[in-house]
Amino acid sequence: MARSCPISTSFIIISVLSHFTSSIGLRISPDGLPDELKSLDIGPRIRVDPNATRMASKDFGKLVHPPNPAAVLYPSSIEDIASLVKFSYNRSFPFSIAARGQAHSLRGQAMAPHGVVVEMRSLNNDSRGSRIRVTKIPISGSYADVGGEQLWIDVLQATLKHGLAPVSWTDYLYLTIGGTLSNAGISGQTFRHGPQISNVYEMDVLTGKGELVTCSKDTNSELFFAVLGGLGQFGIITRARIALEPAPKRVKWILMLYDDFSTFSTDQEHLISINGLDYLEGSLFLQNSPPDNWRSSFPPSQYPRISSLISKNGIIYCLEVVKYYDELTNHTVDEELQELLKGLNFLPGFAFTKDVSIVDFLNRVHSAELNLRATGLWDVPHPWLNLFVPRSRISDFNSGVFRDILPKINQTIAPLLVYPMIRSKWDDRTSAVIPDEDIFYAVGLLHSSGADDWEPLENQNKEILKFCDQSGIKIKQYLSRYTTKEDWMNHFGPKWRTFEDRKAQFDPKMILSPRQQIFNST
């Protein structure tokens, strides 16, 4: 089986690029690409200048700095990408290719050192029109056919024009459809509708062989389930058919505080077991994670009271729920919420209600992003750690991590999320991996730091993983950060053999997404 090699090596061998200075790094002539690539009609859309290649080696995490790609493709059509993949696949020494959307990866997962990065957002320049098309079918189910390069915020705005919206979201909407579907796509709606990968009817996927395949649960199903949560290993998502529902107009948004984790988690699990709520997430606040962080939704006037509560208890938990409504349910929503929240044991006097539009709620993180950008605090290192923790061990995780490890660090830390999900809402046929319990918790430690002080946070992450391992807490990483095949095998567990077989079937030369470091050591 031929493995992908750096484009520098392979292109030297096949005489595609020229003017190199060594066998390690190419120096591509400004005169342009040789005829063999130009014959594919994508030559004019490939850039090899330092500005393009340097940009394609950056991501949101800002933690890793691998070598630049040799080239960047700015496609104007799916055919452009297919030509590139076929070109690599048909060589004896193929080069690696990575699809790049918003580059919201944390550890260079969308990079291709010495290979070619495909700037998927360039497809927005397709002269054939919008790549978001809504089909409204009231009886059998409405849907949107969406280009893999499109942003969820653009899908929201396009579908709202038809009175519709997707059912499952991520907290941040400036991510591409292909990017989130390659992982899972989770948020506070996941307990009810499942992750985004559970709400896809059909996809067009460009495999590692350069074949464009339409797939669904019933047609080419092996590819369909492989790609969903597949970390870009089996193909590039060029179109996804997303489930839609009638869009609400507004939301009632309630935040409730707790000083006891057992009470907090019991109330969370109760709420996801009953019908009625549309969103549920949880978070925690420590002395070094103040209530006015970038994700906070508390009324600013309440910051002193909440800070005093944190100082008194050392740690406070926040339960956050939402109920959608529109003009038809406007007169009943408050009564319904009272019934749903009846019997909860949050701290008296520490429940806060907001009433906002559905767009303001779903796009809430973008407002924080704008503030952080204005103060230079967005484009900084993000040593995040995202985990799925089995319900049976979440109390131990709270004691060992939330109460012991996290408070040790002498740095202000960012939002800390913890909320439950239901296993039955996930389709086990996909490539995504979750704990083997009916209920598990998503934990998100969304750290950010200065350019030179992220290592203490990263070391803390390692301490957390070590604690889980030594305590026998069988976590699964989300947005995984493994670097060896053995670690990946342990991560996938019983799914590994299927994952490996699918790779051999759909990307046998291991061309796609090399920086996941599952089958490639780059």
Side-chain angles (χ1 to χ4, degrees):
M1 180 182 296
R3 294 176 178 267
S4 62
C5 64
I7 192 173
S8 54
T9 306
S10 63
F11 273 24
I12 292 168
I13 293 174
I14 62 176
S15 300
V16 175
L17 296 179
S18 58
H19 303 280
F20 60 92
T21 59
S22 73
S23 61
I24 297 176
L26 285 176
R27 296 295 183 268
I28 301 169
S29 170
D31 295 334
L33 295 174
D35 291 339
E36 190 169 355
L37 264 185
K38 289 181 180 179
S39 68
L40 299 175
D41 198 32
I42 60 173
R45 290 180 286 282
I46 291 181
R47 286 177 57 183
V48 297
D49 58 279
N51 287 339
T53 57
R54 277 199 300 264
M55 183 59 66
S57 285
K58 296 180 180 179
D59 67 3
F60 180 73
K62 289 183 166 53
L63 301 174
V64 298
H65 306 283
N68 291 349
V72 182
L73 172 66
Y74 295 82
S76 62
S77 68
I78 303 304
E79 290 77 12
D80 288 350
I81 310 172
S83 293
L84 180 73
V85 177
K86 287 178 184 177
F87 181 77
S88 177
Y89 180 75
N90 288 329
R91 311 325 310 171
S92 299
F93 296 90
F95 51 87
S96 62
I97 297 171
R100 185 179 192 267
Q102 288 291 85
H104 206 74
S105 57
L106 300 174
R107 295 181 173 278
Q109 287 93 333
M111 299 178 190
H114 305 300
V116 177
V117 168
V118 179
E119 285 286 356
M120 296 295 290
R121 294 287 293 154
S122 180
L123 289 171
N124 274 332
N125 300 323
D126 192 335
S127 60
R128 287 170 286 191
S130 173
R131 285 180 44 81
I132 303 176
R133 298 180 182 178
V134 177
T135 300
K136 195 170 185 178
I137 309 177
I139 298 177
S140 60
S142 300
Y143 57 84
D145 285 305
V146 182
E149 78 289 346
Q150 297 297 307
L151 303 182
W152 283 100
I153 182 63
D154 295 328
V155 175
L156 174 62
Q157 292 170 345
T159 55
L160 283 177
K161 294 176 182 178
H162 300 266
L164 301 167
V167 299
S168 188
W169 296 96
T170 52
D171 285 342
Y172 181 56
L173 302 187
Y174 286 76
L175 304 173
T176 62
I177 277 66
T180 66
L181 295 183
S182 294
N183 289 282
I186 61 172
S187 186
Q189 298 88 359
T190 303
F191 82 92
R192 179 171 179 180
H193 297 288
Q196 290 178 324
I197 59 174
S198 292
N199 295 278
V200 180
Y201 294 141
E202 182 181 278
M203 292 184 293
D204 289 340
V205 175
L206 183 64
T207 71
K209 299 177 181 180
E211 299 169 345
L212 187 61
V213 180
T214 298
C215 56
S216 68
K217 291 181 180 180
D218 302 315
T219 303
N220 297 311
S221 60
E222 192 72 19
L223 178 61
F224 181 77
F225 291 119
V227 168
L228 294 172
L231 306 176
Q233 292 301 299
F234 312 105
I236 298 171
I237 299 171
T238 62
R239 176 186 64 92
R241 181 166 290 179
I242 307 296
L244 303 177
E245 67 177 3
K249 296 292 195 302
R250 300 189 65 80
V251 309
K252 294 285 186 176
W253 187 2
I254 302 178
L255 298 93
M256 298 159 279
L257 299 185
Y258 294 74
D259 60 4
D260 177 73
F261 184 78
S262 178
T263 305
F264 165 70
S265 59
T266 297
D267 280 0
Q268 284 197 93
E269 291 174 23
H270 164 69
L271 290 174
I272 68 170
S273 73
I274 62 177
N275 293 322
L277 291 175
D278 296 292
Y279 166 98
L280 180 147
E281 286 194 9
S283 56
L284 59 139
F285 298 90
L286 308 172
Q287 299 280 14
N288 55 352
S289 58
D292 59 345
N293 65 57
W294 59 263
R295 198 182 175 280
S296 172
S297 302
F298 295 113
S301 62
Q302 297 298 318
Y303 289 163
R305 289 184 66 219
I306 298 170
S307 295
S308 177
L309 192 64
I310 296 171
S311 297
K312 176 183 175 183
N313 293 276
I315 184 170
I316 289 294
Y317 307 94
C318 176
L319 173 53
E320 183 178 358
V321 299
V322 159
K323 176 75 174 171
Y324 297 161
Y325 74 98
D326 56 25
E327 59 273 7
L328 296 178
T329 54
N330 179 51
H331 64 291
T332 61
V333 63
D334 289 329
E335 183 179 344
E336 291 174 11
L337 264 175
Q338 287 181 7
E339 185 64 25
L340 288 167
L341 304 182
K342 185 170 62 178
L344 298 187
N345 293 295
F346 55 87
L347 294 172
F350 286 95
F352 311 98
T353 302
K354 301 175 71 173
D355 189 322
V356 301
S357 72
I358 185 64
V359 174
D360 286 345
F361 170 69
L362 292 176
N363 201 30
R364 61 198 179 279
V365 175
H366 183 55
S367 299
E369 175 193 354
L370 295 177
N371 291 332
L372 290 172
R373 285 190 183 278
T375 55
L377 297 177
W378 181 260
D379 292 317
V380 298
H382 295 91
W384 287 10
L385 182 63
N386 296 274
L387 306 173
F388 293 143
V389 181
R391 174 187 178 274
S392 64
R393 303 301 304 276
I394 193 63
S395 179
D396 297 326
F397 190 92
N398 171 65
S399 299
V401 177
F402 295 156
R403 286 192 166 275
D404 185 20
I405 295 177
L406 289 181
K408 291 178 182 177
I409 198 164
N410 189 28
Q411 283 181 248
T412 298
I413 54 179
L416 308 171
L417 307 182
V418 52
Y419 56 96
M421 298 181 175
I422 302 173
R423 182 178 178 85
S424 62
K425 299 293 184 179
W426 295 62
D427 193 322
D428 198 48
R429 293 172 292 181
T430 70
S431 294
V433 180
I434 56 177
D436 191 19
E437 292 192 8
D438 292 341
I439 294 175
F440 61 94
Y441 279 75
V443 173
L445 311 180
L446 310 185
H447 302 310
S448 57
S449 70
D452 300 320
D453 60 356
W454 57 269
E455 288 190 2
L457 291 166
E458 181 65 0
N459 290 334
Q460 184 183 73
N461 290 337
K462 294 176 182 177
E463 184 181 358
I464 292 169
L465 295 174
K466 182 179 180 181
F467 165 78
C468 291
D469 183 54
Q470 294 180 341
S471 302
I473 301 176
K474 295 181 179 179
I475 59 164
K476 292 296 181 183
Q477 289 192 34
Y478 180 60
L479 309 178
S480 306
R481 43 192 275 141
Y482 302 113
T483 57
T484 69
K485 186 173 181 178
E486 181 181 4
D487 285 339
W488 280 110
M489 291 173 68
N490 291 333
H491 170 74
F492 284 106
K495 283 191 173 185
W496 171 253
R497 180 57 63 85
T498 298
F499 196 88
E500 195 174 37
D501 290 346
R502 287 169 169 174
K503 184 69 170 179
Q505 181 178 358
F506 301 117
D507 184 22
K509 294 189 177 180
M510 303 180 188
I511 291 170
L512 302 176
S513 297
R515 277 292 299 177
Q516 292 285 1
Q517 296 181 286
I518 302 175
F519 300 99
N520 310 68
S521 59
T522 57

